Amino acid sequence: LINFVKRAVENYDLKKQNKEYESKLFSSYDLIGNSKNIINITDQIKKISLTESRVLINGPSGSGKELIARKIHKSSIRNNNPFIILNGALLDLNKYELELFGEEKNNGSISYGALEKANKGTLLIDQISEIPLDIQSKILRVLIDQKFKRVNGNSDITVDVRLICSSSKDLKKEIQFGNFREDLFHRINVFEINIEPLSQRISDIPLLINYFSKKISENYKIKPLDIDENNSYILNHNWKGNVRELRNLIERIAILQPDTKEKISNIIKESLKNDDFDEQITENSLSIPLKEAREKFEKEYLTIQIKKFNGNI
């Protein structure tokens, strides 16, 4: 029995330490960029942090929605209180109520849900579009009444929580498809932040490379990585995984620890290579006259340069 309890305590401690580490790691990152989108979001965070308004953050996967939510919390008057994350895409269908509202068990013990854990602090519901409609109606009821009951509980629980939601799907389209409640959308969308994909913020890429290179080099205790910020593979890549994908690439380089710029360039080339895209470019290039191919290349080249420098010719 003692060994069983020890293992349970060790397991709990490890999970707690892991969450604390992840929280410190995330909170240590800054919102980096000089694109109009990032400058606008930085300004919005300053204004939102002074209020208690509910916030909806829209953006593709890996673009930094959680980081923005943490920045809002850190700059608010709730910064010394909990920041709790509930990921709507990762929960089992039968556990939404338990995770949100908690449970009063038959033996008298209480399992606290995200709403109570976030009391006096901030609750981020990530990927809120994935939460089932019946649970959406219960979240709406909490926002209206400012109270709820635990699963198997009889007493009303009142909490003071600031709600931030994020989604990588267009919630207005989800409403049209019948997957999201329109009344809940209007409740959570008091203030909206829209973060663009990294492929539309090319001018941010060199800054992010420089920033992550320093951060990751410090973490791995190695000399700073000498990555060419104007590498054509990096600037032309579509970055489906956005900032997270870029950070993973730099971390991969740090793990392999190449000793020359050429080796770094080869890692980038192999990591970002897209055979289908390369074949398509080759096929298209060979099927048109040289003059037209040259004009097309120049147009794409100049478009990338203009994006990179925020339209500053």
Side-chain angles (χ1 to χ4, degrees), residues 101-131:
F101 308 118
E103 180 185 16
E104 293 182 14
K105 299 179 181 179
N106 294 330
N107 61 7
S109 64
I110 296 172
S111 173
Y112 295 104
L115 283 164
E116 282 184 90
K117 288 176 184 176
N119 193 27
K120 306 294 183 185
T122 304
L123 172 62
L124 168 64
I125 301 182
D126 191 18
Q127 301 297 352
I128 193 168
S129 58
E130 304 308 306
I131 290 180

Side-chain angles (χ1 to χ4, degrees), residues 125-160:
I125 301 182
D126 191 18
Q127 301 297 352
I128 193 168
S129 58
E130 304 308 306
I131 290 180
L133 285 167
D134 59 325
I135 304 298
Q136 288 178 29
S137 64
K138 292 180 179 180
I139 293 172
L140 179 64
R141 181 51 52 193
V142 174
L143 295 178
I144 294 169
D145 296 341
Q146 296 293 308
K147 58 186 179 181
F148 63 92
K149 286 184 174 68
R150 299 188 191 105
V151 176
N152 301 324
N154 297 314
S155 304
D156 285 331
I157 308 296
T158 304
V159 289
D160 172 20

Side-chain angles (χ1 to χ4, degrees), residues 245-289:
E245 185 184 353
L246 177 60
R247 190 187 69 202
N248 290 346
L249 170 65
I250 295 168
E251 192 160 0
R252 192 178 304 127
I253 294 168
I255 290 167
L256 295 171
Q257 295 189 24
D259 51 9
T260 65
K261 210 164 186 174
E262 187 180 351
K263 287 181 181 178
I264 290 175
S265 183
N266 287 335
I267 293 169
I268 292 169
K269 184 177 178 181
E270 287 303 314
S271 299
L272 303 183
K273 193 175 181 183
N274 187 328
D275 294 329
D276 293 338
F277 179 73
D278 290 343
E279 284 175 13
Q280 188 182 346
I281 291 287
T282 306
E283 190 179 332
N284 290 343
S285 300
L286 293 174
S287 63
I288 57 176

Side-chain angles (χ1 to χ4, degrees), residues 59-92:
S61 178
S63 57
K65 297 187 292 297
E66 184 182 326
L67 177 62
I68 291 169
R70 286 184 183 275
K71 294 293 179 189
I72 294 170
H73 172 74
K74 200 174 179 182
S75 303
S76 73
I77 58 172
R78 297 174 180 263
N79 59 3
N80 292 322
N81 295 316
F83 178 84
I84 303 297
I85 302 170
L86 185 76
N87 193 314
L90 298 180
L91 290 181
D92 185 280

